Every structure is written in structure tokens, then in C-alpha cells.
């Protein structure tokens, strides 16, 4: 199975900050990498798929990059509604696997 | 508007069975693979399994933790996906989300609100 490891597990930041979350895979995943946002008590929401494709309606302050086994999600200027938990997910091979999550908290 | 609505969750004793339903609307259900993802209380996301569209044979695949105990099926005439769970264990306690997969059958582009399954005596 491909393991996905996110770092950091949690981060505190302020409105307006730039934040980067990293996701590493134990083997190459051919860019089948997505990012999800989950707020407490809610279902996850797909933000980005295939490394860098922003979903419709997702603000342009979110961006994804990377290749091979190393990927990043960047939020260029944090807004109050961005404080949530973020998960990466690989879809290169079954079983599809998620990272353990990164909780983004208000400083 | 795409909507996925799960039902069938609740409290069940260890070893018993439960079937979850996911009723879809707002898209051509038969064109898409459907999946289930669960989240244990306070924990992260775990892929449970999925079923392809009939175009791809309605094939299924499952996480090792549920293989042989859970099965996914679909009724395209009713736009419903099912998750049949048997031999339930305490560690199956989680919120179960129904998901639609993108046409590439890779990422989960729409999610239901989730239904809680609690396995306890």
C-alpha cells in the first residue's frame, strides 16, 4: 500500500499569512494527488485534484504543486474560513489512501 | 445540483449486519463510480471501497480492513448505492460518507453529509 504522510500535523497561523502543507508518498503516484478541506462536523470538500487542478468555486489563493512523491498545498493569504483540517489523497493504486491530516488553527 | 444522501446508520451490536444507502440526484448516476469513505471519531479519513459504473463492469474493490465483510452494490434505476456491512466490529464505528468519484475514477468530487454507525453491545 502507498502511505501518505503530511507535515505538519498541525499549524497555527494568522489571517493573511501564507501557509504550505506538505504531503509525501512512499512511492510515485503519477500525479494522482488530491487535496480536501474538512471543517468540524462537515463532510470533506475536494479543493484540488491531479496535483494542481483547482475545483470550480475554490478561491485562487489555494494552489497545489509537486511531482513524484512530494506535493504541496499552499494558501497564499489565509482567510478566516480557511481554518480547517486538510487531507491529501493518492489515487494511483488501490487501496486509495489519505494522509493523516493537517489541522490549520488560528494563532 | 449534485446531492448524495446517506441513510441506514445507527447503533448495531458486534457481529451483526447493517446496510447503508446513498441516494443520488443532480447527475446521471449510471455514468459515475461511487465510493464509501469512513471516519472514526476524532480520526482521519479511510477509504472503504468503491464500485465502477456499468460501463466498467460494475467492478468493486475494498480496503483490506473490510474485504470479505463489506460489499458495495448499485441500483442505477433508482440512483442508489449501497454498502452492505456484516460481521461488524467495534473498530467499524465511524461516520460513513458516500462519495462520487470523478470520471477518471480517482478523486472524490462530491460527498454526502455522512451517517454514523456505532458498533457496540
Amino acid at each position: 500500500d502507498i502511505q501518505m504522510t503530511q507535515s505538519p500535523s498541525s499549524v497555527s497561523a494568522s489571517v493573511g499569512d501564507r501557509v504550505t502543507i506538505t504531503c509525501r508518498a512512499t512511492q510515485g503516484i503519477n500525479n494522482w494527488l488530491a487535496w480536501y478541506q474538512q471543517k468540524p462536523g462537515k463532510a470533506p470538500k475536494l479543493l484540488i485534484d491531479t496535483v494542481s487542478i483547482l475545483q470550480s468555486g475554490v478561491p485562487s489563493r489555494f494552489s497545489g504543486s509537486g511531482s513524484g512523491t512530494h506535493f504541496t498545498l499552499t494558501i497564499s493569504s489565509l482567510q478566516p474560513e480557511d481554518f480547517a483540517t486538510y487531507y491529501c489523497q493518492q489515487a494511483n493504486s488501490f487501496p486509495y489512501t489519505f494522509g493523516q491530516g493537517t489541522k490549520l488553527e488560528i494563532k | 445540483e449534485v446531492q448524495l444522501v446517506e441513510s441506514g446508520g445507527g447503533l448495531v451490536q458486534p457481529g451483526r449486519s447493517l446496510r447503508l444507502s446513498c441516494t443520488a440526484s443532480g447527475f446521471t448516476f449510471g455514468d459515475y463510480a461511487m465510493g464509501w469513505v469512513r471516519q472514526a471519531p476524532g480520526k482521519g479519513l479511510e477509504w472503504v471501497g468503491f464500485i465502477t459504473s456499468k460501463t466498467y463492469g460494475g467492478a468493486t474493490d475494498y480496503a483490506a480492513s473490510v474485504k470479505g465483510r463489506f460489499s458495495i452494490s448499485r441500483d442505477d434505476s433508482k440512483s442508489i448505492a449501497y454498502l452492505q456491512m456484516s460481521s461488524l466490529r467495534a473498530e467499524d464505528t465511524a461516520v460513513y460518507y458516500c462519495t462520487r468519484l470523478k470520471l477518471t475514477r480517482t478523486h472524490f468530487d462530491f460527498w454526502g453529509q455522512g451517517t454514523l454507525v456505532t458498533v457496540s453491545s
Side-chain angles (χ1 to χ4, degrees), chain B residues 10 13 19 32 49 52 68 74 77 91 97-98 105-107 115:
Chain B
Q13 293 179 327
R19 187 178 78 165
Y32 288 84
T52 67
R74 62 189 299 154
S77 68
E91 54 265 36
Y97 294 102
C98 172
R105 304 187 307 284
T106 53
H107 304 305
T115 188

Side-chain angles (χ1 to χ4, degrees), chain B residues 55-114:
Chain B
T55 299
Y56 293 93
T60 56
D61 204 349
Y62 303 95
S65 57
V66 306
K67 192 169 289 187
R69 300 188 300 122
F70 289 14
S71 66
I72 298 173
S73 60
R74 62 189 299 154
D75 184 338
D76 290 353
S77 68
K78 296 180 179 178
S79 298
I80 300 177
Y82 299 100
L83 176 64
Q84 178 69 47
M85 305 182 291
S86 61
S87 302
L88 282 161
R89 307 166 180 166
E91 54 265 36
D92 295 318
T93 294
V95 173
Y96 285 74
Y97 294 102
C98 172
T99 66
R100 189 185 84 168
L101 281 80
K102 294 181 73 75
L103 288 172
T104 50
R105 304 187 307 284
T106 53
H107 304 305
F108 309 104
D109 61 354
F110 286 93
W111 298 61
Q113 83 285 356

Side-chain angles (χ1 to χ4, degrees), chain A residues 11-15 78-81 83-84 103-107:
Chain A
V11 57
S12 295
S14 301
V15 172
L78 277 171
Q79 298 301 301
E81 60 268 29
F83 292 94
K103 188 173 184 179
L104 178 51
E105 299 176 301
I106 301 174
K107 184 181 287 184

Side-chain angles (χ1 to χ4, degrees), chain B residues 3-51:
Chain B
Q3 285 197 319
L4 302 172
V5 179
E6 302 95 338
S7 59
L11 175 64
V12 60
Q13 293 179 327
R16 303 298 291 266
S17 298
L18 197 65
R19 187 178 78 165
L20 305 183
S21 300
C22 171
T23 302
S25 60
F27 65 101
T28 304
F29 182 77
D31 287 348
Y32 288 84
M34 300 297 295
W36 291 88
V37 175
R38 69 184 181 182
Q39 186 169 37
K43 302 297 185 182
L45 302 171
E46 180 186 17
W47 175 77
V48 172
F50 92 134
I51 184 167

Side-chain angles (χ1 to χ4, degrees), chain A residues 95-106:
Chain A
Y96 289 174
T97 44
F98 293 88
Q100 81 279 15
T102 295
K103 188 173 184 179
L104 178 51
E105 299 176 301
I106 301 174

Side-chain angles (χ1 to χ4, degrees), chain A residues 8-84:
Chain A
S9 294
S10 65
V11 57
S12 295
S14 301
V15 172
D17 284 354
R18 179 184 181 91
V19 170
T20 297
I21 299 169
T22 296
C23 180
R24 291 184 184 271
T26 51
Q27 62 190 76
I29 58 173
N30 295 306
N31 291 346
W32 292 116
L33 189 283
W35 292 96
Y36 301 85
Q37 176 192 66
Q38 186 179 33
K39 296 182 179 180
K42 300 295 187 182
K45 172 187 174 182
L46 178 64
L47 297 177
I48 289 170
D49 78 86
T50 324
V51 178
S52 60
I53 299 176
L54 209 62
Q55 300 305 290
S56 175
V58 175
S60 59
R61 62 181 179 273
F62 290 91
S63 63
S65 64
S67 63
T69 62
H70 184 202
F71 304 91
T72 60
L73 171 69
T74 299
I75 310 172
S76 60
S77 178
L78 277 171
Q79 298 301 301
E81 60 268 29
D82 300 337
F83 292 94

